[in-house]
Amino acid sequence: MDLPLAKIRRDSQLTGRVELSEQVAEDYAASLAVNVQLPPVVVFLIARAYWLVDGYHRYRAHELAKFKQIRAEVVEGTFRDALLYAAASNQKHGLRRTNEDKRKVVTVLLKD
């Protein structure tokens, strides 16, 4: 499904990253400029709000490319479900996690 970027909420708890790589987002934006389709982002539908849990670099690339919408896989669940999904993302795809990213995920899970 296509969702307007403006309807997708972001929360630092729902990303396994300490920081976004602007270079990766710019590379993805360049791909979008030549009509390369990126995989859909994953959002959780929680109390009628869409929360981004996987695809922060792709979301940023769409912003940089001035796109108004993004392809998204929508999953219904709770904030805790979204938190656990986000903690598991990027283990085997995307930009490799740094040690700081791994520490952040472990800390979030221990607090849960």
Side-chain angles (χ1 to χ4, degrees):
M1 115 183 281
D2 286 342
L3 284 176
L5 292 176
K7 287 198 173 207
I8 299 174
R9 296 181 182 188
R10 293 167 289 164
D11 185 301
S12 63
Q13 293 181 79
L14 297 178
T15 177
R17 303 272 181 215
V18 172
E19 62 185 23
L20 191 77
S21 168
E22 202 62 27
Q23 183 60 57
V24 169
E26 289 171 4
D27 290 348
Y28 288 176
S31 294
L32 291 171
V34 293
N35 295 321
V36 171
Q37 285 240 343
L38 300 177
V41 297
V42 178
V43 298
F44 267 66
L45 179 59
I46 305 165
R48 297 191 320 244
Y50 297 101
W51 293 89
L52 185 61
V53 296
D54 186 16
Y56 277 76
H57 286 98
R58 284 169 276 154
Y59 180 97
R60 178 68 180 134
H62 280 71
E63 286 182 322
L64 292 170
K66 307 287 191 225
F67 284 34
K68 299 291 183 206
Q69 296 194 339
I70 191 168
R71 284 186 322 127
E73 176 186 334
V74 179
V75 179
E76 289 191 40
T78 65
F79 192 83
R80 183 170 189 268
D81 295 333
L83 186 73
L84 296 175
Y85 189 102
S89 67
N90 293 116
Q91 289 184 53
K92 297 180 181 175
H93 70 278
L95 178 65
R96 291 181 71 149
R97 290 181 178 179
T98 65
N99 286 336
E100 293 82 14
D101 293 340
K102 293 172 189 174
R103 263 192 285 292
K104 177 185 177 188
V105 168
V106 169
T107 301
V108 166
L109 292 175
L110 287 173
K111 286 181 182 177
D112 180 62

